[in-house]
Amino acid sequence: MSEDIQLLIDDVVAKALAGDMDPINNIEDRVTRSKAKAALVKAKRSQPKTEIKSNASENSDVKAKDTIEQVVIASLSKNFSNFLDGEQNGEWIQIKAENWFEIAKHLKENENLYFDSLQCNTGFDLEGGMLESRYNLHSMKHLHAIEIRIKVSIENPDIPSVESLWRVADWFERETYDMFGINFTGHRDLRRILLPEDWEGWPLRKNYEEQETYHGIVVPKVKEGWE
Amino acid sequence: MGVVHGQEMVLNIGPQHPATHGVLRLQVKTDGEVISEITPYLGYLHRCFEKHCENVTYEQVIPFTDRCDYLASMTMNFGYVVAVEKLMDIKVNDRVQHIRVIMAELQRIASHLLATGVFGLDLGAFTPFLHMLRDRERIIDLFEMTCGARLLYNYMWVGGLSHDLPKGFVEATLNFLDYFEPKIDEFENLLGHNKIFVERTADIGIMPAEVAINFGVTGPNLRASGVNWDLRKDDPYSIYDKFDFNVPVGQGIKGTVGDSWDRFYVRLQEIRESVKIVRQALDQLPKDGDVHQSMPKKIRPPKGSIYSRTESPRGDLGYYIESDGSDTPSRLKMRSPAFTALGVLDEIAGGWLMSDVLAILGSLDIVLGEIDR
Amino acid sequence: MGLLENRFDDNIVVEKLDKLLSWARSTSPWFFQFGTACCAIEMMAAAASRHDLMRIGIIPRSSPRQADVMIVAGTVTMKMALRVKKLYEQMADPKYVVAMGSCATSGGPYWQHGYHVLKGVDLVIPVDVYVPGCPPRPEALIEGLLKLQEQILEGRPLTRKTG
Ligand code: SF4
């Protein structure tokens, strides 16, 4: 490592420790960037108090008697209006598709919620012309988890993508798209991920019919007509 | 440090390539020897796991979970039965819990042995691979003794186990552990402190902690980045809170925290911890208790959904199950740890040399069956 | 020539060369390790310590160009099927195929709902030996390979088949 790169790294790490992550993220060269991030981790580890996990009970806003769903809804209604979709049953939060990106951003960045990891994204075919996308979020800091559900119609299955918030959503959303045909708007590269590009249909929808042949190879299980 | 930019070259690795651990295709864009971008193409082993789950009953799902991660079938079974038991609110007795933990930890040892062995193989070290496979065979003998299968066990059932432990299992396992423990040091010396191996892995493919969290990387890969996160400790399921073990994290002994060598070393340390857990579990194993005691006659979970996760050798293994009250799941999604681990490859491998790609890929320990499902 | 007289059938030269060739082939079938899924692990176990395939002259190769036998170990999917065919075509003659496991034989556990699974690799390439099992034990694979050796031994590469 040459000297000025080391200087650059020291500089951005100092800035990041002060809370400004932009200089690190703006480094053009990927090698230098990953080195800088690694250095940041080292620096953070040597600081005693910035632990990744902290105790949930220290937090004043999360009261013990409210369930996490109530806390989340309360926190969201301060910033958004009319975001809930239909009735809630307390085990998950059903929201409308429009503001999903902003809501997700709030969920991730709010200090008291801090859902830093997107555990799982599941598609679901509700039948009767509705599709659903479900997100299981978890906070490694506060150790709490919620489930968010978003319903869309099968004719117009558009949901804002959250892939730029949680990069793990990149592949999750591609998979959901691949299996259900839910269209995540704003995704950087929405292609089929598991099935071949020229596959027909959305396999996990309940009314899915297998295609007859794929590139001349017979697909269905019935052995008739194979020879 | 001047940089010469040459012409961009696109290189294709796989889908049939000995170092991709199965059928994975990587499209690598390089500038000379330096990698600028990697695009993984998956799905060459997409076996429609989730479609099958919607068409078979809850019991019949278990063999399919085996086949997803074929290197750690026991822990795949474990995760699934834990999820269904939570959904149906079944409590299983202590003997079953202990046997499950023993099996899961032996499986973790076997899986990590293969992972580290193949990692060495990717870098050209053939001997450690043979040594590790030799010891893995002994673990497999223990499994075979228990349930008759070598690779895909279908051993843990909802509410119990398919068989009780056979006679002589405890002694055989203790024998194995006595034989195996000194071998771990041998592996460490054979591979971990090997000059060539260190040169090729230390400081290569560094994964900073926040990148790992943002990309959803879990398991040993996350711990190697210095994050102390293990579901067995942080969100204990089954009876893991009864045991005393440490969570090894990457310390950057040979290079930077979160490099490929750390990922290798964390796995090796986890083998030691698993040995500890198995010893404790064998020690505390209750003498009586029927392994079929709490098995329901018919598995029909109440309406509702659950997301439950357990720690597989590759990380957070999550099952999302939606039940409509019938005996087949109406949706079952597996959140596979290797899927997210592969997703980070482009981020951490960019900028390194061509020859490092396979080192980094090997250090992530992916299993294609679980990625493509 | 008294020694050999009346001891052999007609066509003595062709017959013997044929035999020599197939004998030579049968004892060194290098295999192309084409593992796709769970069965590949058992194939690895068969090639590694304890079962040690090399003792019967069977050596793993990573390139189709250097191999005589292709062991298709594991599930073949639609996305993979065309590649399998291409890999088979890349192998030099004479070439043989062993379908290992029930997936490669017939689609295995995925025969019914597996929309993306090829129901048997024999739909795209010809197969010589089928090894059933899910997964077959390494011993079963070795048995299959011995059967293949027998088959090669009986083959007559120089005699043109009619009909
Ligand atoms: S036959 Fe069984 S073990 Fe072999 S690849 Fe298929 S599912 Fe896996």
Side-chain angles (χ1 to χ4, degrees):
Chain A
M1 213 171 348
S2 74
E3 213 147 87
D4 38 29
I5 290 189
Q6 187 58 51
L7 283 180
L8 175 72
I9 290 178
D10 289 348
D11 182 39
V12 291
V13 166
K15 276 187 187 146
L17 284 177
D20 183 10
M21 280 297 287
D22 286 345
I24 283 202
N25 292 332
N26 289 344
I27 297 179
E28 277 290 303
D29 184 28
R30 306 182 76 147
V31 188
T32 321
R33 191 168 71 217
S34 63
K35 276 186 184 151
K37 289 192 175 172
L40 176 62
V41 177
K42 240 186 200 166
K44 273 192 181 162
R45 276 163 52 84
S46 54
Q47 286 184 331
K49 64 176 192 309
T50 41
E51 275 215 278
I52 294 254
K53 270 178 285 164
S54 81
N55 208 335
S57 59
E58 285 168 15
N59 223 295
S60 57
D61 234 40
V62 186
K63 285 175 225 109
K65 60 182 187 298
D66 283 354
T67 63
I68 179 64
E69 282 80 12
Q70 286 162 334
V71 175
V72 169
I73 291 180
S75 166
L76 283 177
S77 24
K78 278 184 209 150
N79 298 285
F80 302 93
S81 61
N82 194 19
F83 62 91
L84 294 174
D85 183 12
E87 36 182 275
Q88 311 293 318
N89 89 339
E91 286 171 27
W92 62 79
I93 300 172
Q94 187 99 41
I95 64 169
K96 287 185 182 150
E98 291 99 57
N99 282 340
W100 167 227
F101 184 81
E102 289 76 29
I103 292 176
K105 200 167 167 134
H106 180 83
L107 291 177
K108 189 186 173 200
E109 283 163 9
N110 185 304
E111 270 303 306
N112 295 323
L113 304 175
Y114 206 75
F115 288 101
D116 53 354
S117 84
L118 173 65
Q119 283 283 317
C120 183
N121 167 232
T122 318
F124 193 74
D125 185 357
L126 293 168
E127 295 178 89
M130 294 304 264
L131 296 173
E132 199 169 62
S133 173
R134 302 177 175 179
Y135 301 84
N136 292 84
L137 302 175
H138 181 262
S139 162
M140 287 171 82
K141 190 168 157 197
H142 302 309
L143 299 178
H144 53 217
I146 51 163
E147 184 175 332
I148 304 270
R149 297 185 175 186
I150 302 174
K151 245 189 238 174
V152 281
S153 75
I154 216 160
E155 293 87 44
N156 197 5
D158 287 349
I159 294 181
S161 165
V162 290
E163 158 261 1
S164 51
L165 292 176
W166 296 283
R167 283 300 307 280
V168 59
D170 182 352
W171 282 17
F172 278 158
E173 284 177 353
R174 275 177 69 188
E175 194 191 332
T176 311
Y177 166 75
D178 194 355
M179 295 293 148
F180 290 91
I182 295 177
N183 189 20
F184 291 95
T185 52
H187 191 288
R188 74 181 73 186
D189 183 19
L190 196 64
R191 289 178 284 124
R192 283 190 182 273
I193 187 167
L194 296 179
L195 294 170
E197 291 280 308
D198 49 359
W199 196 260
E200 295 159 19
W202 314 106
L204 286 184
R205 289 191 185 173
K206 299 278 182 203
N207 59 359
Y208 172 69
E209 293 276 337
E210 291 167 24
Q211 62 192 65
E212 288 289 303
T213 57
Y214 175 72
H215 284 254
I217 308 163
V218 187
V219 178
K221 56 182 187 266
V222 199
K223 283 217 172 188
E224 287 161 21
W226 275 22
E227 263 72 42
Chain B
M1 201 165 68
V3 179
V4 183
H5 284 287
Q7 228 176 9
E8 187 179 80
M9 183 166 71
V10 180
L11 205 71
N12 191 43
I13 307 178
Q16 195 286 319
H17 189 275
T20 53
H21 298 200
V23 275
L24 166 70
R25 183 173 146 226
L26 299 174
Q27 202 186 60
V28 186
K29 288 212 180 101
T30 64
D31 173 7
E33 268 285 282
V34 183
I35 290 160
S36 51
E37 192 184 333
I38 300 184
T39 322
Y41 287 84
L42 341 166
Y44 291 98
L45 193 51
H46 175 54
R47 294 189 284 188
C48 330
F49 168 70
E50 287 160 18
K51 190 79 181 172
H52 279 88
C53 295
E54 294 174 12
N55 287 296
V56 297
T57 60
Y58 282 96
E59 300 93 315
Q60 288 169 340
V61 171
I62 298 175
F64 287 107
T65 64
D66 272 341
R67 280 157 184 75
C68 279
D69 185 349
Y70 33 80
L71 292 180
S73 304
M74 285 288 184
T75 45
M76 295 309 258
N77 289 178
F78 200 3
Y80 175 72
V81 296
V82 165
V84 178
E85 279 163 12
K86 260 192 213 161
L87 193 61
M88 296 180 67
D89 213 7
I90 298 177
K91 294 266 171 302
V92 294
N93 61 32
D94 245 22
R95 184 171 168 87
V96 173
Q97 298 279 30
H98 277 87
I99 298 176
R100 281 183 182 174
V101 168
I102 293 169
M103 291 302 165
E105 292 310 313
L106 284 175
Q107 182 74 79
R108 194 180 310 272
I109 298 174
S111 170
H112 281 346
L113 277 180
L114 197 77
T116 42
V118 173
F119 185 26
L121 192 63
D122 284 349
L123 301 178
F126 194 58
T127 317
F129 169 73
L130 288 178
H131 283 218
M132 287 172 184
L133 239 79
R134 176 197 63 199
D135 292 342
R136 181 176 171 273
E137 284 287 330
R138 294 189 58 149
I139 301 180
I140 288 181
D141 284 348
L142 293 175
F143 289 149
E144 193 177 351
M145 190 173 164
T146 318
C147 62
R150 275 173 52 90
L151 194 63
L152 309 170
Y153 311 108
N154 187 14
Y155 180 59
M156 298 181 194
W157 288 356
V158 177
L161 303 165
S162 70
H163 307 74
D164 203 343
L165 289 182
K167 263 200 205 102
F169 178 86
V170 178
E171 295 77 54
T173 313
L174 283 175
N175 264 344
F176 164 72
L177 292 181
D178 289 342
Y179 153 85
F180 181 64
E181 251 169 333
K183 289 278 186 288
I184 306 175
D185 297 324
E186 193 185 305
F187 296 150
E188 193 177 329
N189 287 331
L190 203 55
L191 203 53
H193 301 300
N194 180 324
K195 184 93 171 84
I196 303 171
F197 184 77
V198 173
E199 291 279 310
R200 290 208 54 188
T201 54
D203 270 330
I204 304 279
I206 300 157
M207 174 153 52
E210 61 266 36
V211 169
I213 292 174
N214 201 10
F215 275 83
V217 177
T218 48
N221 295 333
L222 177 64
R223 290 192 280 276
S225 301
V227 182
N228 187 333
W229 178 259
D230 188 324
L231 287 178
R232 292 174 292 172
K233 279 264 195 241
D234 293 302
D235 188 5
Y237 54 97
S238 190
I239 47 164
Y240 274 110
D241 41 2
K242 278 195 190 174
F243 303 117
D244 167 39
F245 63 98
N246 304 325
V247 178
V249 291
Q251 293 161 335
I253 297 176
K254 301 272 176 192
T256 323
V257 178
D259 59 5
S260 302
W261 193 85
D262 266 357
R263 288 195 277 278
F264 157 80
Y265 195 63
V266 163
R267 290 206 175 86
L268 213 56
Q269 295 302 317
E270 273 184 23
I271 294 180
R272 288 180 211 273
E273 299 303 322
S274 294
V275 170
K276 257 196 225 167
I277 300 178
V278 175
R279 275 196 193 281
Q280 291 170 44
L282 283 173
D283 211 34
Q284 299 166 9
L285 181 70
K287 282 274 167 324
D288 40 86
D290 181 8
V291 293
H292 295 157
Q293 191 185 359
S294 32
M295 256 162 49
K297 283 253 156 44
K298 193 97 190 136
I299 303 186
R300 281 178 190 276
K303 253 190 175 154
S305 64
I306 191 164
Y307 178 73
S308 132
R309 43 191 193 148
T310 52
E311 182 81 23
S312 94
R314 266 156 278 285
D316 287 19
L317 166 72
Y319 283 97
Y320 184 92
I321 304 178
E322 164 91 23
S323 155
D324 55 358
S326 71
D327 59 358
T328 57
S330 88
R331 172 92 171 94
L332 194 153
K333 153 114 188 173
M334 177 194 285
R335 178 238 193 250
S336 60
F339 185 74
T340 53
L342 184 58
V344 81
L345 179 68
D346 176 38
E347 179 76 14
I348 62 171
W352 298 103
L353 295 186
M354 195 56 220
S355 55
D356 298 330
V357 177
L358 297 178
I360 297 171
L361 186 70
S363 74
L364 288 173
D365 181 24
I366 53 169
V367 169
L368 264 296
E370 186 196 20
I371 291 174
D372 297 342
R373 277 155 289 154
Chain C
M1 288 301 285
L3 209 59
L4 292 176
E5 239 160 53
N6 300 329
R7 284 212 172 185
F8 300 97
D9 300 341
D10 296 341
N11 298 350
I12 171 167
V13 177
V14 175
E15 174 79 15
K16 289 306 274 186
L17 190 56
D18 247 8
K19 257 197 176 154
L20 180 71
L21 270 178
S22 42
W23 169 79
R25 275 176 189 177
S26 76
T27 43
S28 67
W30 291 8
F31 77 86
F32 169 40
Q33 36 168 317
F34 181 58
T36 58
C38 355
C39 282
I41 308 299
E42 287 298 70
M43 181 171 75
M44 251 162 71
S49 349
R50 184 177 297 192
H51 296 288
D52 195 8
L53 269 183
M54 275 184 210
R55 72 205 145 102
I56 47 174
I58 300 178
I59 301 174
R61 306 303 302 178
S62 313
S63 159
R65 307 262 183 216
Q66 304 168 343
D68 311 300
V69 183
M70 179 178 188
I71 302 185
V72 184
T75 321
V76 180
T77 59
M78 291 295 164
K79 207 171 177 178
M80 199 66 204
L82 302 174
R83 269 89 179 174
V84 175
K85 200 166 172 182
K86 203 173 275 172
L87 286 167
Y88 178 73
E89 280 158 5
Q90 282 176 3
M91 284 167 63
D93 269 330
K95 50 195 173 189
Y96 308 90
V97 176
V98 176
M100 178 183 181
S102 45
C103 278
T105 313
S106 67
Y110 304 96
W111 69 276
Q112 200 176 9
H113 307 291
Y115 50 87
H116 190 234
V117 174
L118 187 69
K119 314 297 177 333
V121 73
D122 47 4
L123 287 176
V124 284
I125 54 173
V127 175
D128 294 277
V129 176
Y130 296 89
V131 182
C134 181
R137 300 176 59 89
E139 290 90 335
L141 178 63
I142 294 172
E143 168 78 15
L145 288 168
L146 291 177
K147 279 270 178 308
L148 181 72
Q149 289 191 340
E150 264 170 41
Q151 190 177 327
I152 299 173
L153 205 53
E154 279 160 18
R156 289 290 168 268
L158 293 185
T159 321
R160 183 177 290 272
K161 272 196 216 111
T162 52

